[in-house]
Amino acid sequence: MRRVNSQAFDCIVVGAGPSGSTAAIAAQRAGLHTLLIDAQPERRDKTCGDGLTPRAVHVLRTLGLDDVLPAYRNRGLKLHGFGGDVTAPWPDSPYGTVGSASPRAVFDALLVDEARAAGAEVWHNCPATGAEFAGGLISSVDTHKGPVRARWVIVADGVRSPFGKLLGRQWHKGEVFGIAARSYCATPLADEEWMHSHVELRDADGAVQPGYGWIFPLGAGEDGEGAVNLGCGALSTDARPAKVNTKKLLASYAAQQREAWQLGPERNVTSALLPMGGAVSNVAGPNWALIGDAAACVNPLNGEGIDYGMETAAMAVELIADGGDLTLAWPLLLREAYGDAFALARTAARLLTYPQFLPAVGPLAMRGIGGRYLMPAAARLMGNLITDEDTDVIARAWRAAGRAAPRNAPLWDVA
């Protein structure tokens, strides 16, 4: 027998990650009585690099969520590999020059607390299992507490998006997607001011492996122990799958970096697949929209999605506040905001799925003129730090190339 729940909300947000919690905060501030639900318990973990680019920091500050920012700060990226080391400080931009990092179990919980403080009701251990429709609109969402009525639904249930699938969301794995594994390691060097990325990974026999590694310092944790987020990732497509065991590669990478970083054992090792660059379709209906990872709002060059997730949350709530049918309006808004950048980034990332590409260009990119000019520019792109207002050569070239990038692949298509 179907359980009955008499509660009704202006907006139900499915998923309590950064995207969903930000959407709940924005919706409550817009005067919408909001319910935030999540399938997992409080302080659940998430496979992620945990890095907060200046763009993500900027979004938090713009929304008045400074209390969510951790005390730790970083200055930019250090890239290593193929005989070169490149230091790329966060560039002066409208987003500022301050980055940070925070374990997702901590960061997400703080955002949920902010959603509660804003007035949203929060239900954990409560997956969305179905939807009822009336006149083409979602009229209620089925939950473990029974169906809950709502005028609007925002779907922020992550990379797999189980509720999004129920609504027709399709992930196009013919486009570039990410595979990654992540761990935490104790270290006395957790206050290091730079995020590190190794673009050359080798196995015990010295053979170059597909993918890259990262070490993101996290500062001192709640228990006072310093740690880093250490992980590795690779890019893949259905046609050219990355032939790598990410957890095995992570263990090898940690062993290679253990002495330099004084690392403790890897713990909390997790792995995940990651849709990227808008390579999903059916992201909206008349009164519902997918945001963040569920809508593949992830940079194909680095897997960064926290900043896009929070941005799309605010954008979706603003569109809802205007009223009207979201079916075409939401994909159009996503394409206007990110289409050029994602189309170009997907084209560039596709090159990295060829095993021969990185060993051929890596030495040129990481040394000499390449290391001095090319990689700092690439780090700027990887940090999602080019805006429409930037007028320098790199920004103009990036935007022009984005407009010229192929559009024959799905970018939030409407099925």
Side-chain angles (χ1 to χ4, degrees), residues 26-49:
Q28 278 292 145
R29 290 177 177 176
L32 301 173
H33 182 35
T34 301
L35 170 65
L36 175 63
I37 65 174
D38 195 273
Q40 300 298 317
E42 293 190 64
R43 296 181 69 88
R44 85 285 188 277
D45 196 9
K46 168 73 164 59
T47 302
C48 183

Side-chain angles (χ1 to χ4, degrees), residues 284-311:
N287 68 333
W288 57 270
L290 272 62
I291 64 173
D293 287 357
C297 292
V298 176
N299 187 326
L301 292 177
N302 67 350
E304 166 60 23
I306 293 176
D307 46 14
Y308 292 130
M310 294 188 295
E311 287 177 4

Side-chain angles (χ1 to χ4, degrees), residues 175-189:
E175 294 303 311
V176 171
F177 61 92
I179 59 174
R182 174 231 71 188
S183 69
Y184 292 108
C185 300
T187 175
L189 304 179

Side-chain angles (χ1 to χ4, degrees), residues 33 43 51 60 71 121 128 137 193 211 254 276 312 333 335 348 382 384 394:
H33 182 35
R43 296 181 69 88
L60 289 170
E121 190 161 340
L137 304 174
E193 294 183 318
M276 295 174 160
T312 55
L333 186 58
R335 284 192 287 268
M382 291 168 64
N384 307 339
I394 295 295

Side-chain angles (χ1 to χ4, degrees), residues 46-218:
K46 168 73 164 59
T47 302
C48 183
D50 294 339
L52 299 172
T53 65
R55 185 165 181 161
V57 171
H58 174 77
V59 176
L60 289 170
R61 288 177 168 167
T62 299
L63 296 173
L65 299 175
D66 299 68
D67 290 344
V68 176
L69 282 172
Y72 169 75
R73 299 288 187 269
N74 59 50
R75 299 169 56 191
L77 301 173
K78 286 193 174 182
L79 306 168
H80 312 279
F82 299 104
D85 297 283
V86 176
T87 298
W90 299 125
D92 189 14
S93 78
Y95 301 120
T97 58
V98 173
S100 187
S102 176
R104 285 291 299 274
V106 175
F107 184 71
D108 291 13
L110 289 172
L111 280 172
V112 169
D113 288 344
E114 291 288 343
R116 282 198 187 96
E121 190 161 340
V122 181
W123 297 351
H124 282 282
N125 296 304
C126 187
T129 57
E132 294 294 316
F133 290 83
L137 304 174
I138 294 179
S139 58
S140 66
V141 173
D142 295 332
T143 77
H144 281 189
K145 296 187 178 184
V148 183
R149 290 175 289 141
R151 292 171 51 211
W152 303 96
V153 178
I154 295 177
V155 184
D157 56 347
V159 295
R160 291 181 297 169
S161 191
F163 188 66
K165 286 181 183 178
L166 293 176
L167 300 177
R169 179 249 204 188
Q170 295 181 332
W171 175 6
H172 302 283
K173 292 186 178 179
E175 294 303 311
V176 171
F177 61 92
I179 59 174
R182 174 231 71 188
S183 69
Y184 292 108
C185 300
T187 175
L189 304 179
D191 289 323
E192 156 71 8
E193 294 183 318
W194 300 90
M195 303 167 72
H196 291 251
S197 181
H198 293 79
V199 297
E200 178 186 12
L201 294 183
R202 295 181 179 272
D203 63 15
D205 297 324
V208 176
Q209 300 297 294
Y212 59 94
W214 70 76
I215 299 177
F216 293 169
L218 299 170

